[in-house]
C-alpha cells in the first residue's frame, strides 16, 4: 500500500515563475492537508481539502496561492509569481476522515526560489 | 490561538543515553497530542499519540504522557541508538488542524 506521494521532491523556480506541487493521497483517503515548513520552524497548516471541495484555507496566503483536489488526479498546490520568501518545504498529508484521525505525511517538496 | 512550544535543540547524545524533549501546549479545548519524527530527507512519521489526559503513548521505546495539569507532553527514551538521530516534532490537534512545535534536532553519537 503506497504511502502519500508528492512530486517533485525538489523544485527550483526563479522569482516570478509559477510553482505546481502535486500530492497523491494514500489509497482510500479522501481528505488532504497542505502544510508549509519554513527554515528553522515547525510545520504550519495551510489548507484542508476533500474531493472537489476546499474545506478550510485559513492558513493560506490570500494572494498567489491556490489549491485544488479534483475528482480525478492528485491534489495541486499552486504558487503564482513566486518570491524568495516562498522557499520552504511543502508537505501534504492525507487521512480517512477529517476529525481527530491520524494524518499520514508525504516526503515533501522542497521549493527553492532563486 | 493553538500553539505548541518544545525544547530547542540541537541535542547531541551518546548511544544508550537518556533522552528527554520537553513539550507544552496551549490548553484550549480537548486536543489530541502527537510526537512526529522526521528522518533526513523524509517526511514526518507519527511516533506516538495520546488522545486524553493521563494517556501514555509509546512506540519504539519512546514514551510520552498527556499531562493536563501541566499542559505538557514530554518525550522520553531510556536508551537511545544512533538510528534515533532525527528531528522530533510535538503537535496538538484542533479538530483536523495540527499545530506543530519548531522541532528538536537530535543527534546520537556511537
Amino acid at each position: 500500500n503506497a504511502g502519500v506521494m508528492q512530486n517533485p521532491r525538489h523544485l527550483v523556480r526563479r522569482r516570478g515563475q509559477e510553482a505546481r506541487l502535486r500530492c497523491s493521497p494514500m489509497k482510500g483517503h479522501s481528505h488532504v492537508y497542505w502544510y508549509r515548513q519554513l527554515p528553522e520552524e515547525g510545520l504550519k497548516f495551510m489548507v484542508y481539502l476533500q474531493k472537489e471541495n476546499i474545506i478550510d484555507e485559513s492558513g493560506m496566503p490570500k494572494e498567489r496561492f491556490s489549491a485544488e483536489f479534483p475528482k480525478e488526479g492528485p491534489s495541486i498546490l499552486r504558487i503564482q509569481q513566486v518570491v524568495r520568501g516562498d522557499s520552504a518545504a511543502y508537505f501534504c498529508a492525507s487521512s480517512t476522515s477529517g476529525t481527530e484521525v491520524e494524518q499520514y505525511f508525504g516526503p515533501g517538496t522542497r521549493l527553492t526560489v532563486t | 490561538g493553538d500553539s505548541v512550544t518544545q525544547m530547542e535543540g540541537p541535542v547531541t547524545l551518546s548511544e544508550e543515553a537518556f533522552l528527554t524533549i520537553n513539550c507544552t501546549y496551549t490548553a484550549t479545548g480537548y486536543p489530541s497530542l502527537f510526537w512526529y519524527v522526521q528522518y533526513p530527507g523524509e517526511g514526518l512519521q507519527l511516533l506516538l499519540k495520546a488522545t486524553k489526559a493521563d494517556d501514555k503513548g509509546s512506540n519504539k521505546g519512546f514514551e510520552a504522557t498527556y499531562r493536563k495539569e501541566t499542559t505538557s507532553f514530554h518525550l522520553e527514551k531510556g536508551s537511545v541508538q544512533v538510528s534515533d538521530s532525527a528531528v522530533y516534532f510535538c503537535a496538538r490537534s484542533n479538530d483536523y488542524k495540527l499545530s506543530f512545535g519548531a522541532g528538536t534536532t537530535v543527534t546520537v553519537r556511537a
Side-chain angles (χ1 to χ4, degrees):
Chain A
N1 187 13
V4 177
M5 299 178 68
Q6 291 187 248
N7 67 81
R9 294 290 304 273
H10 300 275
L11 182 61
V12 180
R13 284 287 178 267
R14 291 200 177 102
R15 279 180 298 171
Q17 291 185 318
E18 179 179 288
R20 278 181 175 248
L21 288 61
R22 295 174 185 76
C23 168
S24 296
M26 283 183 71
K27 188 176 180 180
H29 288 192
S30 58
H31 298 250
V32 166
Y33 316 82
W34 285 93
Y35 293 83
R36 177 165 65 174
Q37 183 182 28
L38 293 169
E40 308 300 323
E41 294 186 15
L43 282 73
K44 298 283 195 292
F45 169 83
M46 298 182 74
V47 61
Y48 163 36
L49 310 104
Q50 293 181 35
K51 285 285 187 181
E52 300 185 276
N53 287 305
I54 297 174
I55 307 302
D56 182 347
E57 55 183 349
S58 59
M60 203 142 72
K62 295 287 187 287
E63 297 179 353
R64 302 186 298 107
F65 285 71
S66 62
E68 62 177 9
F69 189 17
K71 187 176 181 181
E72 302 290 338
S75 175
I76 306 286
L77 179 67
R78 182 181 176 208
I79 311 172
Q80 295 177 290
Q81 299 175 315
V82 296
V83 301
R84 289 225 172 100
D86 297 332
S87 295
Y90 292 83
F91 289 94
C92 168
S94 71
S95 68
T96 54
S97 70
T99 304
E100 292 289 343
V101 295
E102 181 176 342
Q103 295 180 17
Y104 293 81
F105 282 81
T109 294
R110 279 155 182 82
L111 172 66
T112 302
V113 179
T114 61
Chain B
D2 299 326
S3 68
V4 174
T5 303
Q6 67 181 96
M7 187 175 87
E8 289 187 19
V11 174
T12 303
L13 303 163
S14 297
E15 234 176 355
E16 300 183 4
F18 184 86
L19 171 68
T20 299
I21 304 176
N22 290 341
C23 171
T24 57
Y25 62 93
T26 52
T28 53
Y30 302 93
S32 293
L33 301 173
F34 307 84
W35 277 99
Y36 280 84
V37 58
Q38 184 179 29
Y39 298 105
E42 298 184 14
L44 277 71
Q45 299 175 24
L46 180 64
L47 182 59
L48 53 84
K49 66 179 180 182
T51 58
K52 62 183 187 298
D54 299 324
D55 270 2
K56 178 187 282 188
S58 61
N59 186 26
K60 299 181 180 179
F62 289 89
E63 293 183 341
T65 301
Y66 191 143
R67 302 280 187 207
K68 190 176 179 183
E69 63 277 12
T70 54
T71 63
S72 65
F73 192 56
H74 304 322
L75 182 69
E76 296 181 338
K77 185 172 185 179
S79 177
V80 293
Q81 305 299 314
V82 172
S83 57
D84 293 324
S85 298
V87 182
Y88 292 81
F89 292 94
C90 185
R92 61 154 286 163
S93 65
N94 178 4
D95 200 5
Y96 49 79
K97 279 185 200 176
L98 293 175
S99 298
F100 288 85
T104 302
T105 301
V106 173
T107 302
V108 180
R109 298 177 303 194

